[in-house]
């Protein structure tokens, strides 16, 4: 799971290195670049971030053809040998790969005399190309493409011509053209920084890039057409000092407003009243933070919708037997719009006749293209690996979508829907308020960093918020953390309560505060310390919350948790923007 970039055009080395920085959200444990020269191929690679590669490639002369890679290890540990590009033994082919080759062990057996220099699946492709080459590069690429199984976007260069070849199945591949060059890349945002027009390659496609343009073929060599479009210019990477995650948290109030506005301007819910009335069930499908937002909004929507609303983890949905038919609507939630599990779930739902509706922060991403309808959550580009503002915006968009379905089904009055819309401005103001005095959270973080474990508890819609708070903390501080519905604590987890453990109790719903109070007493009497968010309990330190519409309370209750995770990680000197073992977008199943 990685990012790939390739181009034909002036200053290819500089542009490739710069583009790889943009793709670092897809993986950042090692990186490499290969260029074509008259004398042959030249490449360099190293462990660590793109900044390391930039240092290492400083002496590299410019070229008009380059391919580059940023890695998130799947096959083989993180080391220089396993970093891409891989070059065939004869030095004729260099490749970079995003995805997983499921049959690479069998393919390796077809190359008994080859010395493999890495433990990766990807290296096989470079050697296969050289083994099948008989004077025509495209023929060799097609012959190899037909043998590959799994998910792949592979960029190939060779000494034999001045072209780049890209082979694609399941992993994203964007191809771009401009007056200055031709490009291939793992995402639209990155490609559109260079290209005037971009196209998304279909599965089982070989793209051939030359300085004249791009041609597409299926694996049998039949020419294919692709639809080019002008993509929205993406935001540039932050260059000023400071952590991106903190900056993104502080953008939340402004993005809540943008999300509400974006929803209204785009025309809101795309389903007709008739379609909404026919629905029998709604799934909210996503991974990580995106799953938590679906899970959170499902709890709220059960208050006003009269059908089954079920949050499901995308990687489970793919293999489980959830019923899907024409009466099924699935919201596929994904910040990046590129998460492999979510894409596979969307494909499955489409196949079974359900309606697919992408809720994404990247309407031009693969998910947006795959689904019947798209809503952009309008959080603006998010770069920190731990998602923050996109979560708040997913809650805004999903709440509005589900409220509009309920209005169509006449289970929610137009007036309450209006209250929700107006309430969102109060939510933006409340979030500004929460961000004005962060000192108490900085102080609490100093305590949390000493804890052996931190548990997050809540009931009803506070429980998904607890899950999100816990995910944030473990992702970036590496402190062990779990979330539970508060009532479940007594069924096992209470055994872990002792001194040195902290419990964060979410209590935004006054009606449930009495129930949370039991859990607070239970854990305090076993030596754990408690911090409550919302309602104040005598035994716990409290983070108060401004009052907002009850259906919208979770959009703000998560903010102190996002900040707590950030400040705790910071005081432990963690790399908050790029935590270990993670990537912002997980493009393998
Ligand atoms: C990865 C990231 C998470 C993110 C999840 C889903 O696991 O580390 O922060 O929530 O992917 O990403 P998506 O782009 O689909 O929202």
């Amino acid at each position: 799971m990685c990012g790939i970039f390739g181009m034909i055009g002036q200053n290819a080395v500089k542009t490739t290195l710069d583009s790889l920085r943009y793709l670092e959200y897809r993986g950042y444990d090692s990186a490499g670049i290969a260029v074509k020269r008259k004398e042959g191929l030249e490449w360099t690679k190293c462990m660590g971030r793109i900044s390391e590669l930039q240092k290492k490639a400083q002496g590299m002369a410019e070229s008009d053809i380059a391919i580059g890679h940023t890695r998130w290890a799947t096959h083989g540990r993180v080391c220089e040998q396993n970093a891409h590009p891989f070059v065939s033994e004869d030095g004729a082919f260099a490749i970079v790969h995003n995805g997983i080759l499921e049959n690479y062990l069998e393919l390796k057996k077809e190359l008994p005399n080859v010395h493999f220099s890495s433990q990766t699946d990807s290296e096989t492709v470079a050697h296969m190309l050289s083994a099948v080459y008989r004077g025509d590069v495209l023929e060799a690429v097609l012959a190899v493409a037909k043998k590959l199984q799994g998910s792949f976007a592979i960029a190939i260069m060779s000494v034999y011509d001045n072209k780049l070849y890209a082979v694609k199945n399941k992993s994203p591949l964007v191809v771009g053209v401009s007056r200055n060059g031709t490009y291939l890349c793992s995402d639209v945002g990155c490609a559109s920084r260079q290209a005037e027009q971009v196209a998304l390659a279909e599965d089982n496609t070989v793209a051939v890039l030359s300085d004249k343009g791009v041609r597409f073929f299926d694996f049998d060599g039949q020419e294919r057409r692709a639809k080019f479009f002008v993509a929205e210019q993406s935001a540039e990477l932050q260059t000023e000092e400071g952590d991106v995650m903190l900056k993104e948290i502080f953008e939340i109030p402004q993005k809540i407003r943008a999300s509400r506005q974006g929803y209204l301007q785009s025309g809101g819910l795309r389903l007709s009243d008739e379609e909404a009335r026919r629905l029998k069930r709604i799934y909210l499908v996503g991974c990580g933070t995106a799953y938590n937002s679906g899970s959170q909004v499902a709890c709220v929507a059960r208050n006003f919708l009269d059908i089954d609303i079920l949050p499901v983890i995308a990687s489970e949905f793919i293999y489980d037997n959830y019923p899907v038919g024409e009466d099924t609507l699935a919201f596929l939630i994904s910040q990046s719009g590129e998460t492999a599990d979510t894409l596979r779930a969307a494909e499955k739902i489409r196949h079974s006749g359900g309606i697919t509706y992408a809720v994404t922060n990247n309407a031009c991403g693969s998910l947006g293209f795959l689904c019947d309808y798209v809503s952009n959550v309008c959080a603006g580009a998010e770069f920190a690996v731990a998602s923050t503002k996109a979560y708040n915006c997913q809650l805004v968009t999903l709440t509005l979508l589900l409220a509009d379905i309920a209005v169509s089904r006449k289970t929610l009055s137009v007036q309450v829907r209006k209250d929700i819309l107006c309430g969102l401005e109060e939510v933006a103001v409340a979030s500004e308020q929460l961000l004005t005095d962060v000192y108490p959270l900085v102080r609490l973080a100093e305590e949390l960093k000493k804890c052996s474990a931190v548990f997050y508890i809540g009931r009803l819609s506070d429980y998904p918020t607890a899950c999100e708070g816990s995910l944030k903390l473990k992702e970036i501080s590496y402190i062990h953390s779990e979330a539970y519905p508060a009532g479940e604590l007594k069924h096992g987890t209470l055994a872990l309560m002792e001194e040195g453990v902290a419990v964060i109790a979410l209590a935004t719903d006054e009606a449930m505060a009495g129930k949370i109070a039991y859990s607070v007493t239970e854990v305090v009497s076993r030596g754990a310390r408690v911090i409550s968010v919302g309602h104040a309990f005598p035994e716990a330190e409290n983070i108060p919350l401004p009052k907002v519409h009850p259906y919208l309370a979770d959009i703000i209750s998560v903010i102190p948790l996002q900040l707590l995770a950030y400040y705790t990680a910071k005081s432990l000197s963690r790399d908050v923007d790029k935590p270990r073992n993670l990537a912002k977008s997980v493009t393998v199943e």
Side-chain angles (χ1 to χ4, degrees):
M1 195 193 74
C2 313
I4 64 168
F5 184 87
M7 67 169 283
I8 301 177
Q10 274 184 4
N11 297 326
V13 173
K14 184 176 170 300
T15 310
T16 300
L17 291 171
D18 176 57
S19 301
L20 288 179
R21 278 200 58 222
Y22 200 94
L23 292 171
E24 251 186 336
Y25 74 90
R26 305 175 72 88
Y28 40 81
D29 59 44
S30 46
I33 181 169
V35 299
K36 161 113 200 265
R37 306 207 181 286
K38 275 199 208 92
E39 315 76 62
L41 307 183
E42 181 190 341
W43 63 96
T44 183
K45 45 185 168 178
C46 63
M47 272 171 68
R49 309 271 159 91
I50 304 302
S51 51
E52 296 303 313
L53 183 66
Q54 277 170 323
K55 280 185 218 151
K56 203 167 171 192
Q58 241 163 23
M60 204 174 211
E62 262 308 342
S63 164
D64 289 340
I65 306 185
I67 54 175
H69 189 266
T70 179
R71 181 172 188 243
W72 187 83
T74 52
H75 290 68
R77 66 191 172 86
V78 179
C79 62
E80 196 170 311
Q81 290 96 304
N82 289 337
H84 301 216
F86 293 106
V87 180
S88 56
E89 283 184 308
D90 58 3
F93 289 92
I95 69 105
V96 291
H97 167 218
N98 164 217
I100 290 181
L101 299 179
E102 286 161 9
N103 60 337
Y104 81 104
L105 290 174
E106 286 143 55
L107 296 173
K108 261 176 132 172
K109 284 186 201 146
E110 294 178 20
L111 303 162
N113 302 319
V114 170
H115 169 74
F116 281 81
S117 61
S118 78
Q119 301 151 308
T120 65
D121 50 344
S122 315
E123 186 184 352
T124 325
V125 178
H127 301 306
M128 283 169 72
L129 284 163
S130 135
V132 301
Y133 177 69
R134 300 282 177 272
D136 184 320
V137 182
L138 179 58
E139 261 175 34
V141 171
L142 290 170
V144 171
K146 276 190 202 156
K147 291 187 168 203
L148 303 179
Q149 286 169 16
S151 61
F152 44 87
I154 302 168
I156 299 162
M157 70 165 49
S158 83
V159 293
Y160 302 117
D161 59 23
N162 290 328
K163 293 177 180 170
L164 287 180
Y165 297 78
V167 188
K168 133 87 181 167
N169 184 42
K170 290 187 186 160
S171 299
L173 176 72
V174 182
V175 174
V177 290
S178 80
R179 270 157 295 177
N180 303 323
T182 44
Y183 309 86
L184 64 90
C185 184
S186 295
D187 89 15
V188 172
C190 181
S192 66
R193 293 168 75 231
Q194 311 300 334
E196 282 147 17
Q197 295 206 341
V198 295
L200 301 184
E202 275 176 55
D203 280 346
N204 301 317
T205 291
V206 170
V208 184
L209 283 70
S210 69
D211 56 357
K212 307 268 176 323
V214 187
R215 294 174 71 188
F216 298 89
F217 300 89
D218 66 19
F219 286 178
D220 290 322
Q222 294 298 315
E223 193 143 1
R224 266 187 175 165
R225 294 176 76 83
K227 213 167 110 198
F228 278 86
F229 60 94
V230 180
E232 229 175 76
Q233 269 296 319
S234 287
E236 277 308 305
L237 289 173
Q238 174 181 308
T239 45
E240 72 253 35
E241 289 293 300
D243 295 318
V244 180
M245 180 181 174
L246 190 62
K247 178 180 159 277
E248 290 175 349
I249 294 175
F250 273 84
E251 283 174 11
I252 288 172
Q254 168 206 343
K255 296 304 176 190
I256 288 172
R257 292 188 176 105
S259 201
R260 173 186 183 274
Q261 197 59 16
Y263 182 79
L264 294 176
Q265 275 172 357
S266 68
L269 178 71
R270 296 301 166 90
L271 301 190
S272 65
D273 282 355
E274 187 45 40
E275 278 177 302
R277 276 185 216 126
R278 271 206 310 264
L279 296 177
K280 289 234 167 63
R281 65 183 79 81
I282 298 177
Y283 294 119
L284 294 133
V285 185
C287 309
T289 292
Y291 167 74
N292 287 340
S293 72
S295 182
Q296 202 286 316
V297 175
C299 283
V300 170
R302 279 195 280 267
N303 288 301
F304 52 70
L305 265 169
D306 57 343
I307 40 175
D308 291 339
I309 311 168
L310 203 65
V312 192
I313 291 172
S315 54
E316 293 290 299
F317 197 97
I318 309 170
Y319 299 104
D320 212 328
N321 294 314
Y322 288 96
V324 177
E326 282 173 7
D327 50 9
T328 305
L329 168 66
F331 287 111
L332 286 307
I333 312 159
S334 172
Q335 188 284 128
S336 62
E338 297 293 350
T339 300
D341 290 326
T342 313
L343 293 172
R344 296 295 91 78
E347 281 163 3
K348 181 174 174 184
I349 294 156
R350 273 191 77 113
H351 244 84
S352 315
I355 308 168
T356 49
Y357 205 131
V359 177
T360 176
N361 199 27
N362 175 18
C364 289
S366 308
L367 188 67
F369 279 84
L370 192 62
C371 289
D372 300 313
Y373 304 104
V374 191
S375 265
N376 190 339
V377 304
C378 302
E382 194 183 62
F383 293 106
V385 165
S387 182
T388 53
K389 60 175 181 168
Y391 178 78
N392 305 69
C393 292
Q394 283 161 358
L395 297 187
V396 172
T397 307
L398 284 166
T399 306
L400 292 174
L401 284 165
L402 288 161
D404 279 347
I405 293 176
V407 170
S408 294
R409 295 176 68 88
K410 301 200 188 316
T411 56
L412 187 79
S413 70
V414 173
Q415 183 55 46
V416 177
R417 193 257 189 195
K418 229 183 195 171
D419 295 344
I420 293 175
L421 264 183
C422 298
L424 281 170
E425 178 50 32
E426 282 164 29
V427 165
V429 173
S431 57
E432 275 161 354
Q433 227 174 300
L434 279 170
L435 290 166
T436 45
D437 180 18
V438 296
Y439 179 71
L441 298 169
V442 176
R443 190 184 49 76
L444 278 172
E446 284 302 317
E447 300 298 318
L448 279 193
K449 82 169 186 197
K450 298 177 210 148
C451 291
S452 55
V454 180
F455 293 89
Y456 289 70
I457 58 170
R459 281 176 175 249
L460 305 180
S461 71
D462 281 340
Y463 168 59
T465 312
C467 293
E468 180 55 14
S470 168
L471 179 65
K472 285 296 85 105
L473 185 78
K474 75 175 79 140
E475 267 183 311
I476 60 170
S477 76
Y478 319 145
I479 295 175
H480 178 83
S481 176
E482 289 175 47
Y484 285 95
E488 270 295 287
L489 269 190
K490 58 184 179 292
H491 297 295
T493 310
L494 215 44
L496 300 178
M497 295 303 150
E498 58 183 2
E499 260 180 55
V501 168
V503 174
I504 306 211
L506 275 290
T508 60
D509 181 353
E510 284 303 322
M512 296 309 288
K515 296 283 175 202
I516 298 286
Y518 291 141
S519 310
V520 170
T521 327
E522 279 162 7
V523 298
V524 168
S525 57
R526 280 151 182 97
R529 67 178 296 169
V530 179
I531 299 161
S532 72
V533 180
H535 187 87
F537 302 96
E539 309 91 330
E541 286 180 72
N542 179 246
I543 302 169
L545 292 174
K547 281 266 160 297
V548 294
H549 191 289
Y551 292 161
L552 306 173
D554 310 289
I555 304 174
I556 59 162
S557 61
V558 73
I559 295 174
L561 307 188
Q562 293 164 328
L563 286 166
L564 258 186
Y566 170 80
Y567 288 118
T568 307
K570 206 56 198 161
S571 68
L572 287 166
S573 304
R574 307 294 193 221
D575 184 348
V576 284
D577 286 340
K578 292 202 168 62
R580 70 183 184 198
N581 304 341
L582 298 181
K584 181 135 191 80
S585 169
V586 181
T587 56
V588 289
E589 257 188 54

